[in-house]
Amino acid sequence: MWLPCGCTSKYVASSFARRILASHLHVSGRSRCNVAAFMPEAAGFEGVSGRAALRELSVSNSESFWAAVARHRLSWSIPFHTVQDCDLSRGKIKWFEGGKLNVSVNCLDRHVHTCPERVALIWERDERGSEMKYTYRELLEMTCRVGNLLRRHGVKRGDCVTIYMPTCPLAVASMLACARIGAAHNVVFAGFSADALAERIRDAQSSTVITVNQGVRGGKVIELKKTVDTAVESCPTVKQVFVAMRTDNPVTMTARDIAMEEYVFSYHDGDVFGCVADIGWITGHSYVVYGPLANGATTVLFESTPIYPDPGRYWDMVERLKINQFYGAPTAIRLLLKYGDQWVNKYDRSTLKTLGSVGEPINTEAWEWYHRVVGDGRCPVVDTWWQTETGGICIAPRPSDPDAEIVPGMAMRPFFGIKPVLIDTEGELLTSNNTSGALCMAQPWPGMARTIHNNHQRFIETYFQPYPGYFFTGDGAYRSEEGYYQITGRLDDVINVSGHRIGTAEIEDVVNQCPAVAESAVIGYTHSIKGQGVYAFVVLKKGIDVKEADLSRQLNGMVSEKIAKYASPDFIQFAQRLPKTRSGKIMRRVLRKVVESDLEGLGDLSTLDDPAAVQEIIQGHEKLLSKNRP
Ligand code: 6R9
């Protein structure tokens, strides 16, 4: 994207943050002081002899730190003249002014010059065992072809192209092609309904959409082109829809549609970064596409589901693709834990070096299982906290000294250049340890969001007005005696029972420690005496045979003992599954509406992984109420 840096995509800037991350994901057994081994530009920093000193410098002199990283790790067509011009109190974020670079050149051309035959993408297709590999050279060729095609059809710099595709190489090439010709991309998660897609197309004012004839997921065919057809009926801006073939089944083409050609592929060996997120979510943008490619890594595109065709899918893939870093979501880990260790033990996981987790707090039981069973107790588990707005990982146990402790279920340490603070309800900065508050950032960093498209005022109101001078994350966190951070969940998920404030994640963590429980979701509901009461949804592990009443008593006892009596759930509803988005986040909004009996207000359910889960929850809730009329 040949844009002046003030308005370039945040992925450009955050990519080098990820390059340091990539090196920390490889960390093991390095000497304490050998900073230059993973960050050669640190040699230019006087007096910096270890990681701790480097981290200190990245905050106290963040300008020199980020300038060195940006110069060393990115190719600029015009060098920047000003490192940063940021003012958090006004929501003004500008990095590397005067500089110009192209993110697709940084992700592709640079590596094609040095190692054209290195594998860039490994596409783990839904059909197990049919993976395909694409080298950097091939990905560059594919990207150029898509870019030329778009240009031939009138797409120009500044346009916004909507991409509605499953996680596949052509989707990555389409993203990079947009970046290459200076167009913005609006990647819409391929699980969204026609209405949700149409809204996003209109919002982006796209005249071009790229899609595939059909998607396949978990063995099922998904009619993506038909969804696009329905969506564009209410999108007058759309002039053309490019259609690639993911399956062999022809689809009806209209005058608006343009068929895309097939591509070539070949097989090579390489280092393998396995982030199983969908490209439609931020984790897919940053850690499937831009981060790994900017680092010249080989990245896996996972098209399937963790239990298709069976619950061994991830680990079979780790063995087959020789994955070194595996990055997934707690929800999937909890799901797999339910099926037992045998699905993991069947496969050779000796290539794994680091296991990552993102998206939600990872409860202690899931963390330990991930570490002990999946990682054979030898791979560090990194619980990485970040959000769409931060662009990349902000708090994670690594990088740190290789032998530094990792506490289960804690994101722990701020990343280079990140300065988290905790603020209380009165807006006062909390300076001591062993305290909880609203998680804010006291300093800008290059990967952070710069605006909300077409709504800069909302950007300022949401992130900079709640705590003037700070970037507000919306999450709550606890800082331990040792100064480590633990995320306690979204602040709007905090409940207040008889004047006691408690994060729902804390109660869930205790409930999940019960050996019969696979996962849980706790929400607050209006209670005439206590202000708010505690309502827990609990999913049991497969094959568990217990009386619900006995288990409820046990869970109430555990919460009373480990937290306090007031936190113990008033209602426990056992469910087969919880309503989740396809990125694995529990839709608490839906659970709250069910408990408030506001079924009219359930809202847009199109991002749900499985809408039938909501019906089950509604029925279970009615059954529970009829038994326990309060
Ligand atoms: C990357 C991503 C962001 C929200 C974030 C927080 C939650 C993410 C977490 C975590 C606890 C972690 N979250 N990682 N909570 N521990 N390691 O998920 O982006 O979809 O924007 O969600 O997810 O609440 O604020 P996004």
Side-chain angles (χ1 to χ4, degrees):
M1 228 178 301
W2 301 105
L3 297 173
C5 239
C7 57
T8 195
S9 155
K10 67 181 179 186
Y11 300 108
V12 177
S14 55
S15 67
F16 54 75
R18 286 186 287 278
R19 302 180 76 204
I20 306 176
L21 172 85
S23 43
H24 94 65
L25 285 174
H26 285 97
V27 161
S28 69
R30 287 208 188 103
S31 92
R32 226 167 237 279
C33 294
N34 196 7
V35 174
F38 74 95
M39 192 177 165
E41 56 274 54
F45 302 138
E46 233 167 84
V48 172
S49 57
R51 275 168 216 271
L54 185 60
R55 150 116 197 106
E56 173 55 31
L57 177 124
S58 75
V59 176
S60 64
N61 193 351
S62 75
E63 239 180 79
S64 309
F65 178 83
W66 290 119
V69 175
R71 285 198 190 100
H72 190 263
R73 294 173 187 239
L74 292 172
S75 308
W76 298 82
S77 59
I78 301 179
F80 50 90
H81 54 66
T82 307
V83 182
Q84 63 129 342
D85 178 14
C86 301
D87 179 355
L88 290 185
S89 64
R90 292 194 293 131
K92 180 173 138 196
I93 315 290
K94 286 189 176 180
W95 283 91
F96 310 122
E97 275 184 289
K100 273 190 186 175
L101 55 69
N102 186 298
V103 67
S104 119
V105 169
N106 274 278
C107 284
L108 300 173
D109 308 51
R110 248 167 14 126
H111 311 307
V112 171
H113 287 145
T114 54
C115 46
E117 299 310 318
R118 182 186 295 171
V119 176
L121 309 177
I122 305 182
W123 184 21
E124 173 70 358
R125 298 177 355 132
D126 193 56
E127 302 86 347
R128 174 147 80 180
S130 69
E131 67 268 16
M132 292 178 167
K133 298 184 180 181
Y134 294 76
T135 64
Y136 273 90
R137 182 181 50 76
E138 287 164 338
L139 184 59
L140 175 62
E141 279 168 16
M142 199 193 304
T143 301
C144 290
R145 253 183 277 161
V146 178
N148 288 336
L149 185 70
L150 292 175
R151 248 202 297 239
R152 265 206 314 278
H153 287 269
V155 178
K156 47 185 195 319
R157 185 180 158 165
D159 290 352
C160 185
V161 175
T162 293
I163 298 174
Y164 183 70
M165 300 172 94
T167 297
C168 63
L170 194 57
V172 174
S174 301
M175 292 165 79
L176 293 167
C178 288
R180 204 166 184 86
I181 65 173
H185 58 58
N186 169 36
V187 184
V188 179
F189 171 52
F192 277 170
S193 66
D195 283 350
L197 171 63
E199 194 185 317
R200 286 161 177 79
I201 294 176
R202 284 195 299 267
D203 193 44
Q205 296 168 10
S206 287
S207 56
T208 303
V209 177
I210 310 179
T211 190
V212 296
N213 62 335
Q214 297 175 316
V216 280
R217 201 162 183 274
K220 294 194 199 100
V221 169
I222 307 154
E223 300 289 348
L224 296 183
K225 165 69 166 58
K226 280 194 188 147
T227 308
V228 172
D229 287 345
T230 313
V232 297
E233 277 171 26
S234 60
C235 301
T237 51
V238 174
K239 302 275 177 308
Q240 52 194 359
V241 176
F242 292 97
V243 185
M245 297 296 280
R246 168 61 180 88
T247 65
D248 294 332
N249 306 326
V251 283
T252 317
M253 300 289 271
T254 70
R256 204 178 32 222
D257 301 330
I258 301 159
M260 287 174 100
E261 55 194 286
E262 299 270 322
Y263 296 100
V264 290
F265 57 88
S266 70
Y267 293 83
H268 298 273
D269 289 334
D271 282 347
V272 186
F273 189 87
C275 172
V276 288
D278 191 288
I279 52 153
W281 304 108
I282 188 65
T283 309
H285 279 56
S286 296
Y287 293 99
V288 175
V289 181
Y290 288 108
L293 295 182
N295 286 292
T298 298
T299 184
V300 175
L301 305 181
F302 184 64
E303 189 184 40
S304 196
T305 81
I307 51 167
Y308 177 75
D310 59 51
R313 178 62 186 260
Y314 278 168
W315 324 122
D316 164 53
M317 177 175 78
V318 165
E319 176 181 305
R320 239 179 326 109
L321 308 187
K322 301 186 171 38
I323 289 176
N324 303 119
Q325 295 84 23
F326 183 87
Y327 195 17
T331 179
I333 303 304
R334 286 195 296 268
L335 174 74
L336 297 178
L337 182 158
K338 246 186 359 181
Y339 287 93
D341 302 2
Q342 71 278 12
W343 290 106
V344 185
N345 292 334
K346 248 174 103 170
Y347 299 101
D348 175 9
R349 286 154 286 109
S350 57
T351 51
L352 284 175
K353 293 186 203 163
T354 309
L355 300 171
S357 163
V358 63
E360 285 179 278
I362 177 162
N363 53 295
T364 316
E365 193 198 7
W367 192 99
E368 271 164 4
W369 186 80
Y370 201 23
H371 183 248
R372 180 177 53 80
V373 179
V374 177
D376 277 329
R378 61 178 182 84
C379 303
V381 171
V382 288
D383 173 13
T384 62
W385 176 88
W386 59 292
Q387 42 185 199
T388 304
E389 298 84 340
T390 70
I393 293 170
C394 286
I395 307 181
R398 297 284 191 260
S400 56
D401 287 331
D403 50 358
E405 68 169 332
I406 297 185
V407 182
M410 264 200 180
M412 298 182 77
R413 302 180 177 92
F415 188 65
F416 289 103
I418 300 295
K419 192 173 175 189
V421 290
L422 299 181
I423 301 185
D424 70 12
T425 44
E426 309 298 315
E428 291 299 320
L429 206 58
L430 296 161
T431 49
S432 60
N433 282 352
N434 193 11
T435 190
S436 300
L439 179 66
C440 296
M441 299 295 167
Q443 245 174 240
W445 65 102
M448 72 187 295
R450 286 158 172 66
T451 190
I452 292 176
H453 183 58
N454 287 338
N455 201 343
H456 192 65
Q457 190 51 32
R458 186 170 151 214
F459 177 66
I460 291 173
E461 283 165 15
T462 312
Y463 303 108
F464 300 98
Q465 275 176 5
Y467 300 99
Y470 298 94
F471 168 83
F472 174 48
T473 66
D475 283 343
Y478 163 73
R479 188 169 51 226
S480 72
E481 206 59 79
E482 300 81 12
Y484 300 145
Y485 288 85
Q486 178 169 33
I487 309 303
T488 48
R490 299 294 300 167
L491 278 177
D492 40 22
D493 287 334
V494 169
I495 51 184
N496 193 325
V497 189
S498 312
H500 304 287
R501 283 163 57 84
I502 182 150
T504 52
E506 252 180 282
I507 306 178
E508 285 161 14
D509 195 35
V510 173
V511 170
N512 293 348
Q513 282 170 30
C514 171
V517 173
E519 65 176 342
S520 62
V522 169
I523 57 156
Y525 68 96
T526 310
H527 189 287
S528 55
I529 299 164
K530 299 192 278 187
Q532 278 190 300
V534 180
Y535 195 114
F537 293 87
V538 172
V539 179
L540 298 184
K541 284 186 189 143
K542 291 262 173 279
I544 293 286
D545 184 21
V546 283
K547 280 215 185 86
E548 290 186 356
D550 292 344
L551 194 56
S552 293
R553 255 193 304 281
Q554 187 188 345
L555 295 176
N556 277 314
M558 286 171 72
V559 177
S560 301
E561 187 192 325
K562 297 202 173 174
I563 304 176
K565 185 101 182 62
Y566 71 83
S568 150
D570 302 274
F571 289 97
I572 297 182
Q573 176 176 335
F574 293 93
Q576 290 300 317
R577 58 213 159 134
L578 298 172
K580 287 184 188 166
T581 64
R582 282 210 349 218
S583 74
K585 288 204 171 44
I586 297 167
M587 290 183 86
R588 290 164 196 282
R589 168 177 65 83
V590 168
L591 295 176
R592 271 195 289 265
K593 292 288 174 194
V594 171
V595 171
E596 286 164 10
S597 300
D598 178 12
L599 299 187
E600 300 289 298
L602 282 176
D604 180 10
L605 298 180
S606 64
T607 59
L608 270 175
D609 189 27
D610 184 357
V614 180
Q615 285 316 316
E616 285 176 19
I617 290 285
I618 294 173
Q619 283 159 11
H621 173 64
E622 282 163 3
K623 211 166 117 201
L624 187 70
L625 276 197
S626 62
K627 274 200 282 177
N628 305 277
R629 284 267 163 234

